[in-house]
Amino acid sequence: MMKKLFVSLAVSTAMVCASFNALAADNTLTIGIAKEPAKLNPVLIPGVFGEALAGNIFDTLISFKESPSSPAPALAESWDITPDGKLYTFKLRKGVKFHNGMDFTAADVKYTIEAIMNPDNASPSKEFFSPIESVEVVDDYTVKLHLKDPYAPLMLALGSATSGIIPEKLVTEVGMDEFDKHPVGTGAFKFVEWLPDERIVLEKNSDYFLTEPKLDKVIFRPIPKPEVMAAEVESGGIDIAHRLLPQDVSRLESSDRVQVMTIPGLSNSYLGFGVNKAPFSDLRFRQAVYYAVPFEPAIKGIWKGVGERSYSWIPNGVVPEDTNYMKEHALPHDPQKATALFDELRQEGVLPKGFEFSIYTSQNPFRVKIATAVATELRKYDIKAKVESLEWGTLFPILKGNDLGIYVMGWGSVPDPDRWTYKIFYTGSSMNFSKYSNPDIDAALDKGRVLVDVAERGEQYKKVMRTALAQEYVHIPLVFKSVTAVTSNRVKDFAPSPQDYFHLVTEKRNVSVQ
């Protein structure tokens, strides 16, 4: 028996070594991704999975890859902002070419920004550029942005991966959708192929203006099951893994084959209420659900080691800091208060006896678990909630509709409070799934965009958070997630980003394999 076990282990070890050797034989980096991007064209990218890859194909005017709060030169070498905050002038880098050999000029900047703002393209980033009145090409290497009003978040918008500069002549010729299938940027890596559900392949751009990439090729492999991704990084099937389950992260921390890196992240998960229909539209129902569920232990159990409880939408380290107030006004687990409120709603006919409804969420395993925990607790109060975890293509129309009750979703963005609030809480905004509408909140969000003074801006966002989350309980904040990347030992100079992006070549870093 012992002999058979030894032989089995020896064979397994040999297979693992062979796998490592196979990977080490070329200069290719293979990255496991939890979900395949929906789009790679920056103008059309709807979420973090496309953003995570796009920064390797495209460049932006300025870069936040090494610092999420301080811009570094990228396609723009320098910039100037007038004291009134309404005119931005960018001096562009000369001699940069797109991957197809076309020269990069100010005309491409103007085309990209106007494409984002063009309603015909339905760009998910359109709202972040609405304060721009016009884009002026002064010469081939100077571009000016004229704003209607001061707009503090503009630099972060310009540095987002969804603002990657695209080539005017090529996109005009092939169209936005065709360009999405064969994207061409100025970035460190050129697009090679995209085989749906199998792989996205990039190869190095030897003429990259920052430096020549050390990697010859990068392969992104969709691996939806986190336990499979964990096994792959441990066995050498992939070089980088992310979005793993807590138990796998804990196990891999003791492995001598990989490195585990964890940093505070810029993404959250939350529970939302649709406010268009009863009983969800009734403040007392939302409070009762909050009281009914022991969120603190549930969150600790589900996100152990990969996230911490949140009480606001604005992450720690992003202005304004208001954690103490928000924590003090979060509702505790209190079954007696929950029962009293549910009974009151039943007596008034707001909450039917034996009420049944669905909790909608994505197939993210953490969100499914917390939705299941909520459904389980509500059964104690004779409320039958069914958890429906759906593919994004099915889920999104439901979230956009007017018949939503409770849902569990998440968000991730750059470190500016506007990005964490405007699209979520402004009346009619595209990601305002709750259909929340409060004129005072809209006014505060508008002010937050035009005020320049940091403290004055912060007061507007405090008002938004305190009203929506600590008075009207439109959402229950759940967790700010940490970002954990697990890499094989042959990967050098890689570091996770707070947004869970894959930055392979930056002004300070050039990832390699050995």
Side-chain angles (χ1 to χ4, degrees):
M1 182 66 184
M2 287 301 293
K3 185 177 181 180
K4 287 183 177 179
L5 178 60
F6 176 80
V7 171
S8 175
L9 286 172
V11 170
S12 299
T13 303
M15 291 174 65
V16 168
C17 290
S19 182
F20 273 116
N21 290 338
L23 277 175
D26 62 25
N27 200 19
T28 298
L29 179 76
T30 303
I31 301 175
I33 52 176
K35 185 179 177 182
E36 188 172 65
K39 303 285 183 183
L40 286 177
N41 178 345
V43 174
L44 306 179
I45 287 175
V48 67
F49 295 100
E51 295 169 9
L53 276 67
N56 295 294
I57 303 172
F58 298 92
D59 286 298
T60 47
L61 287 178
I62 51 177
S63 170
F64 292 95
K65 289 179 177 177
E66 288 295 341
S67 169
S69 57
S70 300
L75 287 175
E77 288 186 315
S78 63
W79 52 89
D80 179 69
I81 306 171
T82 54
D84 67 0
K86 295 175 68 173
L87 177 61
Y88 289 61
T89 301
F90 292 92
K91 293 290 186 181
L92 306 182
R93 195 181 295 266
K94 297 178 181 177
V96 176
K97 291 185 180 295
F98 287 99
H99 298 153
N100 63 355
M102 290 179 173
D103 291 329
F104 157 74
T105 69
D108 300 304
V109 177
K110 176 180 172 67
Y111 178 77
T112 301
I113 294 174
E114 291 181 345
I116 294 171
M117 297 169 64
N118 185 347
D120 292 344
N121 292 324
S123 172
S125 301
K126 178 177 178 294
E127 291 174 46
F128 301 127
F129 289 84
S130 58
I132 294 178
E133 186 171 60
S134 64
V135 183
E136 176 189 0
V137 173
V138 178
D139 56 43
D140 278 353
Y141 299 102
T142 308
V143 63
K144 291 187 175 184
L145 308 186
H146 299 266
L147 276 61
K148 303 167 192 169
D149 297 295
Y151 178 49
L154 180 60
M155 292 295 274
L156 280 164
L158 291 170
S160 168
T162 54
S163 301
I165 303 301
I166 60 178
E168 177 189 17
K169 290 181 181 176
L170 177 61
V171 183
T172 302
E173 180 182 328
V174 303
M176 280 287 169
D177 291 334
E178 182 61 26
F179 182 76
D180 182 63
K181 298 173 185 173
H182 300 90
V184 172
T186 59
F189 294 92
K190 303 177 183 178
F191 174 85
V192 176
E193 65 175 356
W194 183 351
L195 301 179
D197 299 323
E198 186 174 332
R199 64 179 182 266
I200 295 171
V201 181
L202 311 181
E203 66 179 12
K204 77 172 179 180
N205 173 13
S206 298
D207 299 321
Y208 190 47
F209 60 82
L210 281 180
T211 185
E212 181 176 352
K214 291 181 177 177
L215 296 167
D216 291 332
K217 185 186 292 184
V218 183
I219 299 174
F220 295 94
R221 279 185 48 205
I223 305 176
K225 293 185 177 179
E227 62 272 24
V228 175
M229 194 184 300
E232 287 241 25
V233 76
E234 192 172 22
S235 68
I238 59 176
D239 296 302
I240 298 178
H242 73 147
R243 296 183 180 243
L244 301 182
L245 297 173
Q247 59 267 33
D248 288 325
V249 172
S250 297
R251 178 174 56 77
L252 291 169
E253 282 176 336
S254 60
S255 172
D256 59 3
R257 297 174 182 165
V258 299
Q259 304 173 64
V260 178
M261 295 173 279
T262 299
I263 62 171
L266 283 171
S267 64
N268 74 358
S269 287
Y270 69 99
L271 182 147
F273 296 91
V275 298
N276 266 355
K277 70 172 187 178
F280 312 99
S281 56
D282 195 303
L283 172 61
R284 293 169 297 175
F285 181 82
R286 302 195 292 271
Q287 291 172 314
V289 172
Y290 212 152
Y291 283 129
V293 180
F295 281 104
E296 293 285 348
I299 289 167
K300 284 182 181 176
I302 293 170
W303 277 279
K304 50 187 174 186
V306 295
E308 62 177 275
R309 175 72 201 270
S310 60
Y311 300 94
S312 166
W313 263 76
I314 299 176
N316 294 334
V318 177
V319 175
E321 168 55 49
D322 201 25
T323 302
N324 289 339
Y325 178 93
M326 298 302 293
K327 186 173 182 178
E328 288 171 4
H329 289 78
L331 300 183
H333 181 219
D334 191 330
Q336 287 187 329
K337 287 185 178 178
T339 299
L341 286 168
F342 285 137
D343 287 347
E344 186 177 312
L345 290 164
R346 288 192 178 99
Q347 289 168 7
E348 294 180 14
V350 177
L351 179 63
K353 290 184 178 179
F355 181 59
E356 298 183 18
F357 72 102
S358 293
I359 300 177
Y360 292 102
T361 188
S362 67
Q363 295 182 326
N364 178 306
F366 297 98
R367 296 176 194 165
V368 173
K369 285 182 181 179
I370 193 70
T372 302
V374 172
T376 300
E377 291 297 323
L378 291 181
R379 284 186 177 275
K380 298 175 182 175
Y381 303 87
D382 194 27
I383 297 173
K384 299 178 180 62
K386 173 185 173 186
V387 176
E388 296 197 45
S389 62
L390 305 172
E391 289 281 355
W392 185 247
T394 305
L395 177 62
F396 193 64
I398 294 173
L399 296 175
K400 297 283 282 184
N402 291 317
D403 199 34
L404 200 57
I406 291 180
Y407 60 99
V408 179
M409 285 297 294
W411 182 257
S413 194
V414 296
D416 185 277
D418 178 78
R419 284 295 188 98
W420 288 86
T421 51
Y422 193 93
K423 278 191 118 175
I424 314 300
F425 297 98
Y426 199 88
T427 300
S429 195
S430 60
M431 303 300 277
N432 183 353
F433 300 136
S434 290
K435 303 295 185 290
Y436 179 60
S437 180
N438 181 329
D440 291 337
I441 294 301
D442 290 350
L445 290 170
D446 284 335
K447 281 186 181 177
R449 286 192 155 192
V450 300
L451 289 171
V452 176
D453 184 89
V454 173
E456 289 181 8
R457 283 191 80 206
E459 289 305 311
Q460 304 307 313
Y461 296 109
K462 281 185 181 178
K463 180 178 181 179
V464 173
M465 292 291 92
R466 291 182 178 191
T467 303
L469 305 183
Q471 293 175 24
E472 299 186 327
Y473 301 104
V474 176
H475 298 162
I476 299 174
L478 298 174
V479 66
F480 287 126
K481 291 184 293 181
S482 304
V483 173
T484 296
V486 180
T487 70
S488 69
N489 286 335
R490 77 185 197 115
V491 178
K492 305 299 177 189
D493 295 331
F494 179 80
S497 84
Q499 294 101 333
D500 214 0
Y501 293 170
F502 303 106
H503 298 318
L504 302 179
V505 180
T506 71
E507 63 272 18
K508 294 182 179 178
R509 190 197 324 247
N510 194 346
V511 175
S512 63
V513 290
Q514 296 179 352

